[in-house]
Amino acid sequence: SQQGEEDPQALSIQEGENATMNCSYKTSINNLQWYRQNSGRGLVHLILIRSNEREKHSGRLRVTLDTSKKSSSLLITASRAADTASYFCATDPAINLHQGAQKLVFGQGTRLTINP
Amino acid sequence: EAQVTQNPRYLITVTGKKLTVTCSQNMNHEYMSWYRQDPGLGLRQIYYSMNVEVTDKGDVPEGYKVSRKEKRNFPLILESPSPNQTSLYFCASRRDRPIYNEQFFGPGTRLTVL
């Protein structure tokens, strides 16, 4: 079953506005990653935040992680038309370390549309 | 250029006709994986491999086979495709260590089984 659940499922904003997407998960994690997918294309890694980190920045991206609430948020500031894509959170479950497994668990994504 | 390549990118086939989707990475990554993406279900892992000759099932392995004879290649084999395997498939790779690292995805293979 999918662990990550993104919210909202779809988001439409004006260019220049900030976009915030949320992700909730169910089990303990090693890290949480955000990916972007342009329509029909492969996923591109955006940012990784470890379980012992609370906030991370990369350019116009800001990611927060609250392990007590099992949730993360991705903020894109000063959005551009080129940011239009689907955004996925993916968790690296803590059980991977114990079992020697290697699996990212993806949510269903948030479809972001930036209107010019 | 560091990349994961998949072939073919698009494929239409008929039920029961064996097919192979190739995946190759040029980053010397130990770990490779196959996912399928379906509307409303997100990405689900089919199989993964932690190194040459080491493969294991993911969440939805039924109807698929894989092999890892070389480090760079990880083909996905559908011995007898069925319509419920119509999907968008992604291959991904990453370094095995350290554990905290990103996955690199291929461009995807859109498969239609009639």
Side-chain angles (χ1 to χ4, degrees):
Chain A
S1 64
Q2 295 298 307
Q3 170 162 242
E5 295 289 339
E6 284 95 341
D7 171 58
Q9 292 188 354
L11 178 62
S12 181
I13 61 173
Q14 295 299 120
E15 193 167 18
E17 294 180 339
N18 295 341
T20 300
M21 290 160 273
N22 303 298
C23 170
S24 60
Y25 58 93
K26 297 176 183 175
T27 65
S28 297
I29 60 173
N30 298 314
N31 65 73
L32 185 145
Q33 304 175 29
W34 285 91
Y35 289 80
R36 183 186 73 225
Q37 183 182 32
N38 291 89
S39 182
R41 307 283 295 273
L43 281 76
V44 175
H45 180 264
L46 295 176
I47 196 165
L48 180 154
I49 186 164
R50 301 179 184 181
S51 60
N52 61 353
E53 297 176 316
R54 292 296 168 257
E55 187 172 312
K56 205 161 185 180
H57 297 256
S58 177
R60 294 183 296 112
L61 306 180
R62 173 176 170 257
V63 170
T64 62
L65 179 65
D66 187 335
T67 53
S68 66
K69 296 181 179 179
K70 291 186 170 57
S71 67
S72 173
S73 67
L74 171 67
L75 169 67
I76 304 175
T77 61
S79 63
R80 305 167 182 170
D83 295 329
T84 293
S86 291
Y87 291 82
F88 293 86
C89 71
T91 53
D92 184 354
I95 197 171
N96 280 347
L97 274 175
H98 303 296
Q99 294 183 344
Q102 305 242 354
K103 179 173 72 174
L104 288 182
V105 181
F106 286 84
Q108 296 184 27
T110 292
R111 181 160 185 81
L112 175 65
T113 302
I114 309 298
N115 302 304
Chain B
E1 179 188 357
Q3 59 182 351
V4 178
T5 57
Q6 295 178 227
N7 282 292
R9 295 289 315 280
Y10 303 91
L11 179 60
I12 300 175
T13 189
V14 294
T15 298
K17 186 177 182 181
K18 180 180 179 180
L19 67 91
T20 299
V21 184
T22 64
C23 172
S24 182
Q25 50 93 6
N26 62 0
M27 295 167 280
N28 201 37
H29 286 169
E30 293 83 8
Y31 174 77
M32 297 185 74
S33 181
W34 277 102
Y35 295 87
R36 60 179 289 175
Q37 185 178 28
D38 302 287
L41 297 175
L43 280 90
R44 295 176 293 168
Q45 189 184 57
I46 302 170
Y47 268 95
Y48 67 92
S49 169
M50 295 178 69
N51 215 322
V52 176
E53 302 291 1
V54 181
T55 64
D56 208 346
K57 297 177 181 178
D59 293 320
V60 287
E62 293 77 21
Y64 305 94
K65 288 175 59 177
V66 293
S67 69
R68 188 89 183 274
K69 297 178 181 177
E70 304 167 286
K71 196 172 186 179
R72 63 182 294 127
N73 297 322
F74 189 45
L76 179 69
I77 303 157
L78 285 72
E79 295 272 2
S80 183
S82 62
N84 65 12
Q85 293 178 299
T86 293
S87 187
L88 181 57
Y89 291 86
F90 291 101
C91 180
S93 73
R94 72 174 184 185
R95 286 180 293 120
D96 189 45
R97 292 289 184 270
I99 289 194
Y100 303 119
N101 52 56
E102 65 181 282
Q103 290 203 37
F104 292 82
F105 282 81
T109 295
R110 187 168 293 281
L111 172 65
T112 302
V113 183
L114 302 174

